[in-house]
Amino acid sequence: MLSAEGQMPPEPPYVPGLTPLPQGKEAVGAYLVRLAASAKAEKCALDVRTEISFDEKSISFGEGGEIFVKSFVYAKDEIAAAVAARCPNEQGVFGEDFSPRLWNLSFGGGDMTAAESKEEGDLYLFHIAFPDQEDPFAATGTVAGSFHIKDSQAVLQYLRQSYEGFAAFDNIRVRCTGLAVDASVNRLEDKINSLTYTKNFEIAADVAFQGKLADAGTKRMSFTLTEKTVFDFRWIGVTLAQDTLDMQKGDVKVINADVSGPEGVKVIWTSSRPDIASVDADGYVKGLEVSARRVTVTASFEAFGKTYSDTCAVTVRVPVKRVTISQKELTLAAGETKKLEAGVKPKDATIRGVLWYTNDPAVASVDENGNVTGVAKGTTEIYVLSQDGYYKISCAVTVTG
């Protein structure tokens, strides 16, 4: 039987994190402090940016203030951009001591109200919450200092100045809520990706309109402004766009490299078997000879006395086009064993190995050589995958009692 049933790459195996997922306020805090220190020791660059936004649903000017709400909503993105511009982004430099620019991460358990941890793909994600500050600009202590709350007075002062000439403010009340630190960590390498400090300012004030708007009188304005300060860690290293590369003889393919490092670093490309697959100075790989042997192509560079590298496994082969099986249906008794044969096409395919699977091992099992054993009465499917291309073909198996 030559009919293939498509391709079905197997699921990649689960890889545990270098450190088990920390749980609880103290454990999460200590873990992040350790990773930040590691980033500094590894001479990471630290980029800092500020994001400002308004909660549209929170904007109110009280009874009869709908027109002012619409005006605020219309202008909120422009206002947010102007406010954010007062906190210019900072581009980090590899090798610098970023400690003065990174906000505090050393919190006691009493400083935090909760810490959530979860695993998502290759990441650990953390959310640490802190208590609200009822009078934020007068607040002292670890939380107020760590979030640089007093620095946000300049932001609010700018908002106030933007109303000069047509409104005066009185009875201003500010609360700081939703204080949180969110962290993203590469769990496979214990490398911190980013920290985000969030603070929400709930602002209310009496607005006495002036000039042409004086007939509107005084309105009680309220809104919530969210200020996020994001710290992005850039690690030194090189990452190739692919882990494996399949080629045919005569092919030329490029392996793209994402390089993160000090300005002027030079990437060196090498091949473990340049007689099978060569690589030039720009990462272009050429297939020279057909071989089942995998060739390791390496991209590397040096920075601050260390070598950073990544590899791609290259195979130059005659590719498999389909997989075959000796029969599409098989009946056997419980305890009985029968053999299925499998192969690949074309006959000169370089990698000819196959992998055997059963959909229900409680009904029938199969070993690496295609020997099928009935386990219990029922029906199931035995299928085979080619190691090259993961082409699939199956056999319907019936086990009698």
Side-chain angles (χ1 to χ4, degrees):
M1 299 292 181
L2 301 181
S3 59
E5 300 170 357
Q7 293 171 284
M8 195 178 83
E11 288 290 327
Y14 173 77
V15 179
L18 286 182
T19 300
L21 179 65
Q23 301 279 0
K25 295 183 289 186
E26 288 81 1
V28 170
Y31 179 63
L32 294 179
V33 167
R34 175 169 69 83
L35 295 192
S38 174
K40 176 184 172 182
E42 291 296 321
K43 303 187 184 303
C44 285
L46 183 68
D47 301 333
V48 187
R49 54 192 167 89
T50 300
E51 301 173 357
I52 302 291
S53 62
F54 292 93
D55 178 5
E56 184 173 324
K57 294 182 179 178
S58 72
I59 301 171
S60 172
F61 280 81
E63 184 178 355
E66 292 79 6
I67 186 63
F68 298 108
V69 171
K70 291 181 180 179
S71 298
F72 198 120
V73 170
Y74 178 80
K76 66 180 178 62
D77 291 338
E78 183 177 343
I79 296 172
V83 172
R86 300 175 66 85
C87 309
N89 297 342
E90 299 177 23
Q91 189 82 5
V93 177
F94 289 105
E96 74 170 352
D97 181 3
F98 57 66
S99 301
R101 297 192 296 121
L102 179 62
W103 289 5
N104 177 55
L105 263 177
S106 298
F107 299 102
D111 296 323
M112 301 175 272
T113 57
E116 301 173 4
S117 309
K118 68 177 180 179
E119 181 179 318
E120 191 173 287
D122 293 343
L123 300 177
Y124 285 156
L125 301 177
F126 303 99
H127 178 80
I128 307 173
F130 298 84
D132 295 343
Q133 305 290 309
E134 295 299 327
D135 189 5
F137 300 134
T140 59
T142 302
V143 174
S146 300
F147 280 81
H148 293 243
I149 290 177
K150 289 185 178 180
D151 292 348
S152 298
Q153 278 185 293
V155 171
L156 302 185
Q157 182 63 26
Y158 170 78
L159 291 175
R160 186 171 183 173
Q161 290 172 352
S162 66
Y163 274 81
E164 284 184 355
F166 63 91
F169 292 85
D170 197 9
N171 296 324
I172 300 174
R173 181 174 180 274
V174 180
R175 295 179 67 237
C176 190
T177 64
L179 289 160
V181 174
D182 290 277
S184 169
V185 173
N186 181 328
R187 65 178 183 83
L188 301 182
E189 300 181 86
D190 264 357
K191 290 182 176 180
I192 189 167
N193 295 324
S194 66
L195 291 167
T196 301
Y197 289 69
T198 299
K199 45 192 173 183
N200 299 320
F201 291 98
E202 297 179 359
I203 302 166
D206 291 334
V207 182
F209 290 98
Q210 301 171 342
K212 294 181 179 180
L213 298 175
D215 291 345
T218 300
K219 302 292 182 183
R220 186 63 176 172
M221 176 182 72
S222 60
F223 61 88
T224 298
L225 177 149
T226 297
E227 181 180 336
K228 292 186 177 184
T229 302
V230 184
F231 299 89
D232 292 314
F233 295 81
R234 285 186 289 127
W235 291 77
I236 301 175
V238 55
T239 303
L240 299 185
Q242 56 211 91
D243 298 325
T244 61
L245 178 63
D246 292 326
M247 310 179 68
Q248 298 184 49
K249 184 176 179 178
D251 283 352
V252 176
K253 296 184 178 181
V254 66
I255 302 175
N256 292 312
D258 180 14
V259 179
S260 177
E263 188 175 353
V265 296
K266 180 175 177 58
V267 176
I268 305 299
W269 293 86
T270 59
S271 168
S272 64
R273 289 294 302 269
D275 56 321
I276 298 173
S278 64
V279 61
D280 69 10
D282 297 313
Y284 283 87
V285 181
K286 184 173 183 178
L288 299 175
E289 293 293 340
V290 172
S291 174
R293 181 191 296 271
R294 283 195 165 185
V295 177
T296 301
V297 169
T298 303
S300 64
F301 68 87
E302 292 189 1
F304 302 112
K306 293 183 64 174
T307 299
Y308 299 86
S309 64
D310 196 13
T311 61
C312 177
V314 178
T315 304
V316 183
R317 86 284 191 259
V318 176
V320 169
K321 297 295 185 182
R322 57 184 176 175
V323 64
T324 67
I325 197 166
S326 55
Q327 55 196 97
K328 295 285 286 180
E329 295 181 354
L330 178 67
T331 300
L332 71 168
E336 183 181 6
T337 298
K338 293 185 179 181
K339 185 175 179 61
L340 291 173
E341 301 284 350
V344 297
K345 298 290 183 177
K347 291 183 178 181
D348 62 344
T350 306
I351 301 172
R352 304 187 58 78
V354 296
L355 305 169
W356 291 93
Y357 297 91
T358 176
N359 273 346
D360 191 348
V363 174
S365 64
V366 63
D367 68 13
E368 61 185 12
N369 297 312
N371 295 303
V372 181
T373 301
V375 177
K377 183 177 180 179
T379 60
T380 188
E381 182 183 80
I382 299 294
Y383 65 93
V384 63
L385 296 179
S386 62
Q387 289 182 348
D388 178 13
Y390 300 112
Y391 289 97
K392 175 189 176 185
I393 197 167
S394 60
C395 174
V397 174
T398 300
V399 178
T400 59

